[in-house]
Amino acid sequence: DAGVTQSPTHLIKTRGQQVTLRCSPKSGHDTVSWYQQALGQGPQFIFQYYEEEERQRGNFPDRFSGHQFPNYSSELNVNALLLGDSALYLCASSPDGDEQFFGPGTRLTVL
Amino acid sequence: GENVEQHPSTLSVQEGDSAVIKCTYSDSASNYFPWYKQELGKGPQLIIDIRSNVGEKKDQRIAVTLNKTAKHFSLHITETQPEDSAVYFCAAKTNAGKSTFGDGTTLTVKP
């Protein structure tokens, strides 16, 4: 059984551009959460999706948006990129909303 | 909102010694407390968790204790091994679905 997968692994963008990150959850997991992890810090909750609906949202601006597809995979979109958006973006899937399994992350660098 | 504080930020122990990492949380509605291990270049991996109706949980060399009254929980690793070296994160979660992470503890186990 494959774990949580994320693509791409690394990404370099310039300020003002838009980016889309992708996540495939573990088989049987219907809940997907996204986190931003800056260097040397803990993951910061962005939002959580369940049954294709955003269920919870952290303190992130509307530039951060997402989507969950019928097969439970998910996308994170970030518009108008800022230098401060450079971070590791983590996706986590869950079978019950509590226990979370993280993917390896996408390293985003904004120049 | 929830605030999770984690101490110490760095911890160095000799192989075979025990390691203890402590976290405090602020939201009394938090009821799920996981611990994650993150190795370089990887996403966090769940190593043990505890729910608010339990005071202690053990899994081989790893144990977690929870004091709901004082709003703190701790991770205990016994008989540490060099492969235990990593960054450890605690987190607190409410039923609403949002997880708040501590800033991490870098554990170094010296052979």
Side-chain angles (χ1 to χ4, degrees):
Chain A
D1 175 30
V4 178
T5 59
Q6 292 186 243
S7 62
T9 307
H10 297 88
L11 203 52
I12 299 175
K13 292 285 188 178
T14 56
R15 280 178 297 175
Q17 285 189 312
Q18 177 263 345
V19 68
T20 297
L21 310 181
R22 295 177 175 82
C23 171
S24 291
K26 276 177 69 73
S27 176
H29 289 193
D30 56 8
T31 303
V32 173
S33 301
W34 286 92
Y35 293 83
Q36 180 193 68
Q37 186 177 26
L39 207 59
Q41 295 183 17
Q44 299 289 314
F45 177 79
I46 302 175
F47 40 54
Q48 183 181 79
Y49 278 86
Y50 172 70
E51 291 189 345
E52 302 179 55
E53 298 276 336
E54 183 182 290
R55 185 160 68 173
Q56 269 287 312
R57 189 178 182 93
N59 297 325
F60 279 80
D62 292 344
R63 298 187 297 109
F64 289 77
S65 63
H67 188 78
Q68 185 178 34
F69 299 93
N71 66 354
Y72 305 130
S73 66
S74 177
E75 288 182 348
L76 164 65
N77 300 291
V78 187
N79 294 323
L81 285 167
L82 304 174
L83 296 179
D85 294 332
S86 295
L88 180 68
Y89 288 85
L90 295 162
C91 168
S93 71
S94 175
D96 60 3
D98 282 343
E99 191 176 1
Q100 295 191 88
F101 295 80
F102 282 84
T106 294
R107 173 71 62 187
L108 173 65
T109 302
V110 182
L111 301 176
Chain B
E2 174 70 279
N3 181 48
V4 175
E5 294 191 359
Q6 183 172 345
H7 300 281
S9 56
T10 60
L11 180 59
S12 181
V13 300
Q14 209 65 38
E15 182 178 0
D17 288 350
S18 295
V20 180
I21 303 170
K22 298 181 180 181
C23 287
T24 61
Y25 62 99
S26 61
D27 190 346
S28 57
S30 290
N31 57 11
Y32 177 68
F33 306 92
W35 286 88
Y36 295 90
K37 175 184 181 182
Q38 187 172 26
E39 297 175 308
L40 205 60
K42 297 184 179 179
Q45 176 190 7
L46 178 69
I47 57 172
I48 196 167
D49 56 11
I50 192 167
R51 298 186 186 273
S52 58
N53 59 347
V54 176
E56 184 173 356
K57 184 177 178 181
K58 189 174 181 180
D59 182 5
Q60 299 183 335
R61 297 186 297 110
I62 295 173
V64 58
T65 58
L66 171 65
N67 183 326
K68 283 186 346 182
T69 304
K71 295 199 187 97
H72 66 71
F73 55 114
S74 300
L75 176 71
H76 304 251
I77 305 174
T78 59
E79 301 171 21
T80 54
Q81 301 167 2
E83 50 266 39
D84 293 330
S85 296
V87 180
Y88 290 81
F89 291 99
C90 64
K93 182 183 174 297
T94 66
N95 277 337
K98 179 179 174 180
S99 291
T100 303
F101 281 71
D103 282 336
T105 295
T106 301
L107 173 64
T108 302
V109 180
K110 300 177 184 176

